[in-house]
Amino acid sequence: MPDSTLIWTRVDDVDDRARRISAAVRHVVAQRSAAERRAIDAPKRTDGDIWLLSDAGREIASLWMLRDGERIILADVDVRDARRITGRSLWSQFHGLAAQQAWEGAVHVSELGEDHLIAEFARAAQATRVATKMQVAVGAVPPARRISLEPMTEHAFFEYQSASIADYAQELLANGLANNMAVALERSTQQLQELLPDGLHSPGEHLWTVRDNAEKVGILWVHSDDARSFVYDIEMLATARGHGYGTETLRAAAAHTRYAGLPTLALNVFGSNESARRLYEREGYVVTEIMWSAALT
């Protein structure tokens, strides 16, 4: 049960709200930078609401909240009195606030690094793991031995694009990131167009067909920026699974990252894909972020 001595209030003063959102952004960036072991620039944000949890006028915790359709996103959780507020009690207080405000849908929150407060919050909320971000230092990754990466042709890209939109839509739907297939397909199509505005010639994007000698065994898509590379997609053909090609392809992606002079290769694993997460752990990937979703009703 929520502690009745604690009170939630929303910050409505425009200047105070802007100041607190700026502080929340810096807090999140500091957490993310520590988790990913790299310097990240703080973006300028002014959207969302700030809610304060107080006891007799003394601030105990603050939340920076964003809305995305029926999803509430706890963009930042800052507990000032850890002896008074645990992850479990914070969930109880937040759930009480949601009931008071008649919020529906789901709440999403990220556990950055080893954030025990958010981990306990997620357990108390019986949250579902939506996705896990992981990364590896590429300097220690062994080379690929059995496969080669062939730049994707226009014909292969056309086939990949159609299949990718459908597959990603299924992932969004299965992991609670879309309410129905129509919304999932719309988001999937929009995201692919944003990431690949010029198709195979989009800056920073590298798409390959993975081959074992002349035989196609899968595809690989890696995005690179000034700081690191990120696996946007890795997929083995059904007939090629269970033969070590996934591991080999990951190592080839790491080699590409090293060749580009970048220290880190990162990727995202949807919550339902336990086998992929185990594969990445065996290859030395460490968790930097876990995204959780909990129903409010």
Side-chain angles (χ1 to χ4, degrees):
M1 294 291 292
D3 185 341
S4 59
T5 65
L6 300 179
I7 299 174
W8 286 105
T9 56
R10 188 178 65 182
V11 175
D12 291 325
D13 181 82
V14 174
D15 292 336
D16 190 23
R17 174 177 162 276
R19 178 182 63 81
R20 289 177 181 274
I21 289 177
S22 180
V25 170
R26 293 194 300 272
H27 184 229
V28 173
V29 168
Q31 287 183 303
R32 192 175 297 278
S33 295
E36 297 182 3
R37 300 180 183 179
R38 65 189 183 108
I40 302 174
D41 294 332
K44 291 184 178 180
R45 298 288 298 264
T46 59
D47 53 328
D49 292 323
I50 297 290
W51 284 85
L52 303 178
L53 184 63
S54 305
D55 182 2
R58 184 172 68 93
E59 292 181 14
I60 304 295
S62 67
L63 305 178
W64 174 31
M65 291 175 40
L66 304 170
R67 293 302 295 259
D68 178 17
E70 293 186 359
R71 294 192 303 157
I72 294 174
I73 301 171
L74 296 187
D76 181 49
V77 177
D78 187 10
V79 171
R80 293 167 176 77
D81 188 345
R83 292 174 299 179
R84 183 77 183 273
I85 295 295
T86 64
R88 177 172 293 278
S89 63
L90 182 63
W91 164 249
S92 179
Q93 294 296 145
F94 176 79
H95 196 262
L97 173 65
Q100 181 188 73
Q101 298 294 318
W103 292 334
E104 297 180 343
V107 58
H108 288 237
V109 64
S110 283
E111 177 187 340
L112 292 165
E114 295 183 2
D115 190 333
H116 301 295
L117 177 88
I118 298 302
E120 185 181 353
F121 179 95
R123 287 195 298 271
Q126 298 183 20
T128 300
R129 185 193 295 247
V130 174
T132 306
K133 289 186 179 179
M134 309 177 75
Q135 67 180 36
V136 68
V138 297
V141 177
R145 302 290 187 186
R146 299 168 51 201
I147 57 100
S148 60
L149 301 181
E150 175 187 280
M152 196 174 286
T153 64
E154 291 289 348
H155 176 71
F157 176 69
F158 177 79
E159 293 181 338
Y160 166 73
Q161 192 174 25
S162 299
S164 177
I165 289 173
D167 291 346
Y168 189 60
Q170 288 283 1
E171 293 280 9
L172 292 175
L173 192 62
N175 289 279
L177 297 174
N179 297 328
N180 55 63
M181 181 53 74
V183 172
L185 285 169
E186 181 181 355
R187 288 186 179 177
S188 179
T189 301
Q190 180 181 0
Q191 183 166 336
L192 194 67
Q193 289 174 345
E194 290 174 352
L195 294 175
L196 295 169
D198 300 318
L200 290 174
H201 308 291
S202 301
E205 310 303 331
H206 310 274
L207 291 97
W208 296 278
T209 297
V210 183
R211 295 193 181 277
D212 180 357
N213 293 318
E215 182 183 359
K216 176 182 175 180
V217 295
I219 61 92
L220 173 66
W221 174 9
V222 173
H223 165 81
S224 298
D225 56 29
D226 294 335
R228 63 177 182 171
S229 289
F230 202 102
V231 176
Y232 275 177
D233 197 8
I234 178 172
E235 184 71 25
M236 300 297 104
L237 298 180
T239 54
R241 292 171 191 164
H243 300 285
Y245 290 123
T247 299
E248 289 284 291
T249 303
L250 280 176
R251 293 176 178 180
H256 163 79
T257 303
R258 280 196 304 271
Y259 183 78
L262 300 171
T264 306
L265 177 64
L267 47 77
N268 184 66
V269 191
F270 277 113
S272 58
N273 200 339
E274 292 285 345
S275 60
R277 196 158 62 239
R278 288 195 296 270
L279 166 62
Y280 302 143
E281 288 172 349
R282 288 197 301 270
E283 284 297 294
Y285 285 74
V286 296
V287 174
T288 60
E289 179 179 2
I290 302 174
M291 287 158 279
W292 298 100
S293 175
L296 290 176
T297 55

